[in-house]
Amino acid sequence: MIDSIDDLLQRLQGVGYFADRRLATAAFLALKLQRPLLLEGEPGVGKTELAKALAQVLGRELLRLQCYDGLEHRDALYEWNYPAQLLRMRAVEGTETAEEIEREVYQPRYLIKRPLLQALQSPPPGALLLVDEVDRADEPFEAFLLEYLGEYQVSIPELGVVRALVPPVTILTSNRTRELHDAVKRRCLYHWLDYPDRERELAIVRARVPQLREQLAKQVADFIARLRSQPCADAFQRLPGIAETIDWIKALTTLDVIELDPDTINDTLGALLKYQDDIEKIRGSEARRLLAEVNSELSAAAG
């Protein structure tokens, strides 16, 4: 049982996820009200990681439905085991009527369960279902999700309505590559997950890379915070999220870097930025300028 927002914050930190209070409040309400939670935000800001952390905190099985263009309900809900059904039909052919055969082969034992059906039929304490990057799926798939999101149930033509044994904790994520339909949003609680502030990002990288040198941690956190706040930031194809920060930190520690310098930044930008045009905007003089500002601020703070 999660007793309070503060309790949830502490438990999430205990598994290495550092949420701010607004995010923890949204997650707490989703748990208490048994409502799906829709998380929108830029890639790499921690949407998927929240679902993983919550599954650990709650002791629930994590079921992940990765969305993509062309995703169909059979990929999300169920599929009949046609070869097994065909074998059974051949085995009883001539001994049973057509109606008896049909009733027999459309039994739950011939179902191949996909994440949605697994979540609904998960025994106590239930499952946590992550519907990841739902904006990558198309509008018909959104319409298919409505029954599940609203009533925690689905309709299977051959079997009828399947209701949840235990209401699954449900997290939907969206990178907002397109706008989701209002019908989906009405059935969910909503939270926009932004880039973390410097202190929260610093806490995250310390937890994920415990061997990290303190000076390097501060330099990286300040450098990325300044990078995201640059006037030219809107021109980037993709700003680095927390995931890229951690990748960069791990690359730097692998290279035994003690503190940042311009050459090291230029050599390792591929771990931080994923588009060549973005790398070119930072490489060279811009990297030196940002690093000089970072070092000046850290020196002033130390003094």
Side-chain angles (χ1 to χ4, degrees), residues 254-265:
T254 299
L255 296 173
D256 296 322
V257 174
I258 298 174
E259 62 178 88
L260 286 179
D261 61 73
D263 289 338
T264 299
I265 293 173

Side-chain angles (χ1 to χ4, degrees), residues 53-250:
L54 273 176
Q56 285 186 264
V57 166
L58 299 172
R60 294 195 177 208
E61 179 186 8
L62 175 65
L63 299 171
R64 181 171 180 170
L65 174 61
Q66 181 64 53
C67 297
Y68 54 87
D69 186 22
L71 178 67
E72 297 183 5
H73 77 275
R74 68 170 178 266
D75 302 312
L77 182 57
Y78 74 96
E79 191 171 1
W80 289 108
N81 188 340
Y82 296 115
Q85 287 175 316
L86 185 59
L87 285 173
R88 183 59 183 168
M89 291 168 65
R90 288 176 176 172
V92 299
E93 188 176 4
T95 64
E96 295 183 2
T97 66
E99 291 79 9
E100 290 173 334
I101 293 174
E102 183 177 0
R103 281 196 302 270
E104 184 168 341
V105 297
Y106 285 114
Q107 295 293 323
R109 65 178 178 271
Y110 293 109
L111 275 179
I112 300 173
K113 299 177 183 179
R114 304 303 186 196
L116 255 69
L117 189 56
Q118 291 173 21
L120 290 172
Q121 296 187 330
S122 180
L128 187 148
L129 176 65
L130 169 62
V131 185
D132 209 12
E133 297 184 317
V134 66
D135 55 319
R136 293 187 179 275
D138 50 25
E139 291 186 2
F141 184 75
E142 283 186 55
F144 159 73
L145 280 178
L146 297 181
E147 182 182 12
Y148 171 86
L149 296 175
E151 287 85 30
Y152 290 124
Q153 67 179 40
V154 293
S155 298
I156 298 178
E158 299 86 354
L159 299 179
V161 176
V162 178
R163 296 181 176 84
L165 299 175
V166 180
V169 175
T170 304
I171 306 290
L172 294 84
T173 73
S174 168
N175 296 331
R176 211 171 186 180
T177 56
R178 67 174 179 85
E179 197 68 34
L180 298 179
H181 197 279
D182 285 346
V184 171
K185 292 188 173 182
R186 286 199 308 271
R187 287 163 172 79
C188 303
L189 300 183
Y190 177 85
H191 183 79
W192 173 264
L193 198 57
D194 211 341
Y195 295 112
D197 59 33
R198 176 189 178 277
E199 292 306 317
R200 189 158 71 89
E201 191 152 28
L202 197 52
I204 293 168
V205 297
R206 284 168 177 158
R208 292 298 185 90
V209 192
Q211 72 274 24
L212 180 62
R213 295 175 182 270
E214 187 63 19
Q215 175 68 11
L216 181 60
K218 291 179 178 179
Q219 280 187 308
V220 167
D222 283 357
F223 185 91
I224 292 176
R226 288 180 178 275
L227 174 61
R228 292 179 185 142
S229 63
Q230 292 302 298
C232 64
D234 290 341
F236 277 69
Q237 293 190 56
R238 181 182 169 189
L239 287 170
I242 301 171
E244 285 74 31
T245 301
I246 294 171
D247 284 347
W248 196 31
I249 285 285
K250 289 180 177 179

